[in-house]
Amino acid sequence: MKIGRTVRAVVAVGLVGAFVGCGQRGSGAGDTDPPARSETPRYASAERLPEKLSQDGTMIVVGNPAALSTVQMYEDPRCPVVEEYERTGAEAVRKVLLTGEVKAEYTFASFKDDGLGGDGSKRAVNALRAALEKGKFVEYHAVLFANQPAVESSGGFTTARLLKLAEEVPGLRDQAFDGAVRTMKYSSFVTASEQAYEHTGDDPSGPGTPTVVVNGYVVDGGLNGLLFDADMFHRMVTDLHEHPDTWDSLYLPLKKVVEAKIAES
């Protein structure tokens, strides 16, 4: 990767894609050792991606279980900036997931309920967990964020709305799913995921949403633009797996360059 060329590319997408998320954004999320290399199956579509509950019960894991890299996603369903990211940038993550080289770990916050009132975030997280039981998390997650506008302050993820939106995912609604949504069956998951979020990074209130962590490195600030370009995001994921030293030698300097360019504009 030529630094000059990458700087120009990152500046271009960074100026368009930069945003400030909900809550605070930390810098110490998800420090992990790079996973070992393995054979990498490819997936024909997002609906075919494996999905499961994490072993500790706090995250939903999507993608090849033996993937060589991990992308950690921190989201609150009522956060409008998460909706913006899912609408404009998350396709880059989905494309990389299909290669089988990466798995994604979703940790769901629900702090927007405490700040704005209502329980829309908690109900949405519970419904997402219920969709996982049917193997429909990926599809339902996409539907919720495609229909998220205007719910931040209204708490609009009501039980009735969550069930109505589930009709857009073939095979999702049945007695078990509807019952889980109505009774908040997975409230323990909602609490565990929120607590995991709060214990991520240095800020006691959590890292902010959305936060994206690649192989233990928080991609924020001047590097946000990389999240909006599938090819560049894929290259960064590969770099941080095969050559972790590129975080200090390449990506942090790029971050400073882009932030300086943004400050000058």
Side-chain angles (χ1 to χ4, degrees):
M1 182 184 293
K2 295 181 179 179
I3 292 180
R5 180 180 178 182
T6 304
V7 168
R8 290 193 296 272
V10 173
V11 168
V13 296
L15 290 175
V16 173
F19 55 77
V20 177
C22 298
Q24 298 298 314
R25 188 178 295 278
S27 59
D31 292 331
T32 59
D33 293 329
R37 181 179 292 277
S38 62
E39 293 185 8
T40 53
R42 298 185 68 87
Y43 301 95
S45 65
E47 293 76 15
R48 294 181 178 272
L49 288 166
E51 51 186 55
K52 65 177 183 179
L53 185 67
S54 64
Q55 191 170 13
D56 66 1
T58 65
M59 301 177 292
I60 293 176
V61 184
V62 175
N64 176 18
L68 56 84
S69 291
T70 300
V71 177
Q72 294 165 290
M73 314 281 286
Y74 297 85
E75 300 184 336
D76 186 313
R78 287 176 74 182
C79 176
V81 192
V82 176
E83 182 276 330
E84 177 190 359
Y85 170 67
E86 285 290 335
R87 174 170 44 83
T88 60
E91 182 63 21
V93 175
R94 286 189 284 271
K95 287 181 177 179
V96 176
L97 289 175
L98 295 178
T99 69
E101 298 174 16
V102 176
K103 65 178 180 293
E105 297 177 342
Y106 288 87
T107 300
F108 289 103
S110 48
F111 64 85
K112 296 297 287 185
D113 288 352
D114 295 332
L116 296 170
D119 58 3
S121 287
K122 295 181 181 68
R123 290 195 173 275
V125 174
N126 174 74
L128 286 165
R129 175 67 181 85
L132 177 67
E133 289 300 299
K134 298 293 297 292
K136 301 287 185 180
F137 166 79
V138 170
E139 297 102 305
Y140 192 51
H141 179 265
V143 168
L144 289 194
F145 280 105
N147 291 275
Q148 190 245 41
V151 306
E152 181 193 13
S153 60
S154 69
F157 282 131
T158 62
T159 296
R161 181 160 177 76
L162 289 165
L163 292 175
K164 182 66 175 178
L165 291 174
E167 294 176 3
E168 298 185 25
V169 180
L172 178 55
R173 286 202 66 176
D174 62 9
Q175 185 175 357
F177 175 81
D178 289 8
V181 173
R182 290 192 175 105
T183 64
M184 287 291 291
K185 177 179 179 179
Y186 298 105
S187 59
S188 60
F189 170 76
V190 176
T191 300
S193 198
E194 168 65 23
Q195 290 176 345
Y197 166 79
E198 292 174 359
H199 287 90
T200 297
D202 300 325
D203 193 301
S205 62
T209 61
T211 289
V212 179
V213 183
V214 176
N215 289 343
Y217 299 97
V218 181
V219 183
D220 63 358
L223 296 178
N224 275 333
L226 290 169
L227 302 176
F228 291 79
D229 184 291
D231 291 336
M232 296 179 71
F233 183 74
H234 190 184
R235 181 56 188 265
M236 178 177 65
V237 170
T238 301
D239 282 345
L240 294 180
H241 171 75
E242 296 181 350
H243 307 287
D245 60 300
T246 58
W247 179 255
D248 291 323
S249 65
L250 176 59
Y251 289 101
L252 283 183
L254 287 179
K255 178 180 178 179
K256 293 177 181 179
V257 168
V258 175
E259 289 175 347
K261 291 291 185 181
I262 292 174
E264 292 172 0
S265 64

